[in-house]
Amino acid sequence: MLVDYSTYRVVVWVHIFGVFVFLLAHGASAMSAFQLKTERRRERVAALLELSAFASFGMSLALMVVLITAFVMAWLGQWFGALWFWVALIVFFALSFVMTPFATYPYSTARRSMGLKGPRMVSAKGKAPLPAMSDEELDKTLARVNPWALTGVGLGGIGLLQWLMMFKPF
């Protein structure tokens, strides 16, 4: 270890705190997804989409903290040569790349068609609002998201990451 153990523990604390903030923010977005499976009143759909967009801002910040502290811990613990670290990093990015198209894109399309702000809490620069969707089009767009599948993938990925970090199997 390159520095004293107490410094490492502080970085671990920040890392775990970032994970908790991510899970808290993501929970709001995930619960919105479950509610959007059945909700079709436009004002309630808009409120759920705005809640999800607001939560994604916190998720993004927390993920940056988690990723930065992961690299700091790898440097402090001298784990850049450990296979488990690189597998965890691949799992981390795979989760992001797998889950994003299945939820973010349909919800972003629905948000833009309703004239709402995007997931980063700013208007989509350079992107004009989409024409308003009919009720049938909105229903099809929202129905494309399967919150149960996303929850399964997310929990499986988080469980795998936790296992890799705790047991450092290889």
Side-chain angles (χ1 to χ4, degrees):
M1 190 163 295
L2 297 175
V3 297
D4 67 281
Y5 186 66
S6 61
T7 302
Y8 177 79
R9 287 178 42 169
V10 169
V11 177
V12 170
W13 182 88
V14 173
H15 184 78
I16 293 171
F17 187 79
V19 171
F20 285 148
V21 170
F22 170 78
L23 293 174
L24 178 68
H26 202 287
S29 197
M31 290 301 104
S32 295
F34 279 101
Q35 190 63 32
L36 283 166
K37 284 305 287 181
T38 58
E39 186 60 64
R40 291 302 178 259
R41 288 178 286 176
R42 285 187 175 265
E43 65 280 350
R44 290 183 51 100
V45 168
L48 289 165
L49 289 171
E50 285 180 325
L51 173 64
S52 179
F54 180 75
S56 74
F57 181 73
M59 286 187 297
S60 297
L61 291 177
L63 278 178
M64 283 190 285
V65 168
V66 168
L67 192 57
I68 290 166
T69 55
F71 278 101
V72 171
M73 287 186 300
W75 178 70
L76 293 173
Q78 299 176 331
W79 293 327
F80 284 116
L83 182 58
W84 71 267
F85 173 76
W86 296 105
V87 171
L89 202 57
I90 290 167
V91 169
F92 178 86
F93 283 111
L95 278 173
S96 298
F97 290 118
V98 166
M99 295 183 80
T100 297
F102 293 109
T104 302
Y105 298 150
Y107 290 155
S108 292
T109 301
R111 277 188 201 100
R112 284 183 52 216
S113 78
M114 297 178 88
L116 302 173
K117 291 181 180 181
R120 298 292 181 251
M121 300 308 297
V122 295
S123 60
K125 293 180 180 170
K127 290 186 177 180
L130 295 172
M133 290 182 178
S134 68
D135 289 343
E136 295 78 28
E137 291 171 317
L138 182 61
D139 187 47
K140 278 190 215 175
T141 299
L142 296 176
R144 286 182 26 211
V145 179
N146 182 345
W148 287 107
L150 290 171
T151 299
V153 169
L155 287 175
I158 289 169
L160 179 57
L161 286 171
Q162 183 182 13
W163 178 76
L164 287 166
M165 288 184 286
M166 287 184 67
F167 298 106
K168 299 171 183 43
F170 35 79

